[in-house]
Amino acid sequence: MENTVFIFGHKNPDTDSITSALVMENLEKKLGNENVKAVRLGNVNKETKYVLDFLGLEEPELIEKIDDGQEVILVDHNESTQSVDNISNAKILKVVDHHTMNFVAPYQLYYRTEPVGCTQTVLYKMYKENGIEIDKNIATLMLSAIASDTLVLKSPTTTSDDKKIIEDLEKISGLKLETFGVNMLKAGTDISDFTPEQVINIDSKLFEQSNKKFRIAQVNTADLDSIFKNQSYFEQAINEDIEKENLDFYVFAATDIINSNSKIISLGNDAPVVERAFGISVDNNTAMLENVVSRKKQMLPPILNALNNDVNL
Amino acid sequence: MENTVFIFGHKNPDTDSITSALVMENLEKKLGNENVKAVRLGNVNKETKYVLDFLGLEEPELIEKIDDGQEVILVDHNESTQSVDNISNAKILKVVDHHTMNFVAPYQLYYRTEPVGCTQTVLYKMYKENGIEIDKNIATLMLSAIASDTLVLKSPTTTSDDKKIIEDLEKISGLKLETFGVNMLKAGTDISDFTPEQVINIDSKLFEQSNKKFRIAQVNTADLDSIFKNQSYFEQAINEDIEKENLDFYVFAATDIINSNSKIISLGNDAPVVERAFGISVDNNTAMLENVVSRKKQMLPPILNALNNDVNL
């Protein structure tokens, strides 16, 4: 395994992070870079498992830390808080992403990001640019990740590039987004055998911005009530995280993938920031965010905006 | 001019910064984005003027500040210290670059960098990927910038990509790198009508790293003696900059493009860092750096390394 380049997405990996690592491994090998390996920084969620099982693929190997000087390729993230713990001691060769940027590298590297809905949309273009054929498995991985990140092209994060590419991926994979994609999303909402702690960590991201440290966690659901009947258990798990990580606040969003709304639980000393961010009243630590489904486009920006206005007062 | 997107390279623009802005404007227009305009953040140097005069092209318009919310495309740089003064209030749509990274954007954007010798090498690939023809003028601009950044492919910053692309650019432009490129470099070394202050600002970059603020300025020459006979005047100009900008140190490198060496003047409170960085003795504020021609690959990294070792003592 010496000199193997690790390829991985962010912690608490979602379908884009896992499948982009697998697709990037394939692309690198097709480009002649044999010594690369897709790995993961956390458990595979049920949505992603649905995709891997459908294709008969194994989960990538879990890594928890890397050696100093390890060569890596980052997909679907760039911020060190979302990467492997000792990322600052790694040598980052490439980044392929679609998120906001907070990135420092004191050396030259390959970095490619675009304002699109999914990392796989960028990877699709890289296959095309390099004249490399996208086979049925790769197309299925790409289609799955775009379906996941854009909630089958219904999230406001969806771009015309994502839509155009899905048409081609449906042809290559022989799958329909409206059936395969929705079944995949529904498989991801099954939290029946999860502890509250596990649920809030399915897709939780840590942010350190505007002098505040906070998490926004998101879980997809087809049934909000089944989640909020256990609100007190979730609050306990969230408060434990707040204490453990010294967070200023924590927003947990249960996103209704059928009706395209999100109901949040907001806790921590700075929890009232969500009232200013979304122009809402929080009642019993919860509030409904109508038509809000995207953390990146609809949750994080208003929260950052509210935090910055606080600073500027 | 409302809603025009400005495209520009770094302050104290070199040939890559000016020509990449012009080429990126051409590429954007070919891609259907008509409302873009190449501009510059400083005077055009004599090397670049040689290229523009050869092609009968006007200098891009000078801008000194931009309005809040102005949409911009950055080429050949990414760090805010090297960009237009109020860059933090701009909306950066795209970055095309080949430098180390220190970049934050709280929104999605297009970012493309590669570990190659010149921004034009990345732009060349973008033309090819998009199936857009590179005409004779564009090829001449690209060839000129690669000749400038890589000292006609002799700098250690040169990569196999740069070399491969030059072959094609020679064919399209009908120019020979060894004649046109060297004549262009020589034109750039004419400082006969420059004040010492103007000479040190031909290609000066500000860095704020490892808790130190410093400049590394570079000037190409075919005759080191003609520069160092005026050492005291250069020292006066450098010391004025150190005081004005509150710099910890200032390295001025005169790079001999014929013999591939650099002779430096190092001033400021932390000037002795160059002794540890390069394993040399400074005498009368000067030292010869044998086989050192690249600020990016051969000057900045050992200086940062020496500064970091100081911090870790």
Side-chain angles (χ1 to χ4, degrees), chain A residues 93 98-117 129 157 209 296-297 304, chain B residues 93 98-117 129 157 209 296-297 304:
Chain A
L93 299 183
H98 71 123
H99 291 90
T100 63
M101 288 177 66
N102 190 350
F103 190 79
V104 176
Y107 43 81
Q108 289 177 286
L109 77 163
Y110 180 99
Y111 196 116
R112 174 84 173 255
T113 188
E114 297 196 23
V116 292
E129 289 163 5
T157 57
Q209 290 188 38
K296 182 164 46 189
K297 281 258 204 240
L304 289 179
Chain B
L93 300 183
H98 71 121
H99 291 91
T100 62
M101 288 177 65
N102 189 350
F103 189 80
V104 176
Y107 44 81
Q108 289 178 286
L109 76 163
Y110 180 99
Y111 196 116
R112 176 85 174 254
T113 188
E114 298 196 22
V116 292
E129 288 163 6
T157 58
Q209 288 188 38
K296 182 165 46 190
K297 283 259 202 233
L304 289 179

